[in-house]
Amino acid sequence: MTGESFGAVLKRHAAATSDAVAVRYDEDSLTWRELDARSDGRAAQLLEAGVVRDDMVAIVLANGTAHHEWTFGAWKAGATPCILPSRLPAHELSAIVELAAPRVIIGSPRLPRIERRIIAADSPLPPETASILRAPASSWKAVASGGSTGRPKLIVDHGPPSLSAKIDQLIDFVSMPRGGTLLNPGPLYHNAPFLFSNLALVAGSQVVGMARFDPEKWLQIVERERVEWCFLVPTMMHRIWSLAPEIRKAYDLSSLTCVVHMAAACPVWLKHAWIDWLGGERILEGYAGTETPGTMITGTEWLRKPGSVGRVAPDTITIRNADGELCPPGKIGEIFFPAASAEGFHYIGAAPRLDDAGRMSLGDMGYVDVDDYLFLADRRTDMIIRGGANIYPAEVEAALDEHPAVVSAVVIGLPCEEFGHRVHAILEARPGVTLEIADVSAFVAERLAPYKRPESYEVVETPLRDDAGKVRRSALRDERLAWITARKPFQQ
């Protein structure tokens, strides 16, 4: 029913299928009736703490059923959940909390000391709680992002937590089942896992979550729970594909109707591998920012346009040069969204990047071909300019990721007296494998033009990307610039 608040939708599902499992993380599960009752209790706790309509409630929790009950509790109390990582350093958490100014923080007693009221996530529920459904907040979520500057900001979605026509269309747009089973392997403090998991509950689907991503466990859950829909990032896809073929083939994935991936560029070879494995119609790729509409493309359509993230609808995305002029087909420029895109959200701690006509940019570069298909190049702020030539790190990283001994690669630009910048590659090696730089260099030489090839390499043992496939490129760059200034050596 269009117009229902998310809290009312949950109550409707609880009345229809009260004893069916709504959400499960390992052995921790809640039925629809339990999720409804417990979120009523959490809403009561928030109201007792002084939460009023449109207040922020910071949810600083790891993946688990508690994340969902507090999220629905916030919506029922008329508040906006602000989702934050559960393991932020004190300085970073303080900076984001200062921006969000939440009425309360939901977290564990181990959170760094901060000048806000903290309610323990596992605090006892009120003994008796009536049904609670306050007027929905003006904004249904607030998501933290470092953005291209590395400084924290919040993206506040203006849509209320209600089953609007826009939400209904989004559920259908990503081919999400209504009443099926969705698997969420990603951290709920990132927008896409939070968005898709909670949309699945609104759609009446069971959510099976992972506390932390593990490639073989993902296969096990898909088979055991007969999962129909899943969101992955390319890092996860890479780790699953890197399992021994006999392990991948040992599991029945026939229940999967749709695997959606987005949030980072997917190497062309990896996309081909997944399409060959599962079939093109079961692979769906999306491109969008947390704050923008975007594009979608099936694997079958992608085979006709390898590397594309979808066809651009009329009067939406445009590609523009440094002077703001439209780029011709095939010419790389900055990606701009319609002016109306900036009306659906607001930033706290930053301002949207707008051109003179009010069109908005997320800082991404790309081009549209003669058939109106969008292809991404890289972020404007990540682009490396070497001797006047533009080098897009994503292209170099895609070539490096193909090497069988490389788990992940991050490419940054470091100072070079002769050319302005040099290409530096940071490599995460596969466990138990010795990564020979000479071998990697020869491997890349077969795939990239000379000016794009890394001039220096570094091997690290810690993961370069988090469970959501995100990388803090600016932090990696700043750290290495500091090492250069201090004349501190690092492996090359």
Side-chain angles (χ1 to χ4, degrees), residues 286-289 292-296 309-320 326-327 333-339 341 359-362 364-369 372-376:
Y287 166 69
T292 65
T295 59
M296 298 291 284
V309 292
R311 196 167 194 172
V312 175
D315 303 319
T316 56
I317 289 172
T318 55
I319 310 297
R320 298 181 179 272
L326 279 173
C327 290
E334 191 166 357
I335 300 171
F336 281 90
F337 294 86
S341 299
R359 291 177 292 256
M360 188 180 72
S361 168
L362 301 178
D364 291 335
M365 307 291 286
Y367 68 91
V368 172
D369 72 4
D372 295 324
Y373 280 86
L374 176 64
F375 294 77
L376 302 182

Side-chain angles (χ1 to χ4, degrees), residues 276-293:
D276 290 344
W277 182 27
L278 297 181
E281 288 306 311
R282 293 204 277 174
I283 306 295
L284 188 63
E285 180 173 6
Y287 166 69
T290 301
E291 56 273 60
T292 65

Side-chain angles (χ1 to χ4, degrees), residues 13 109 129 253 308 395 420 453:
H13 292 325
T129 304
L253 307 187
S308 174
E395 181 184 7
R453 299 171 194 166

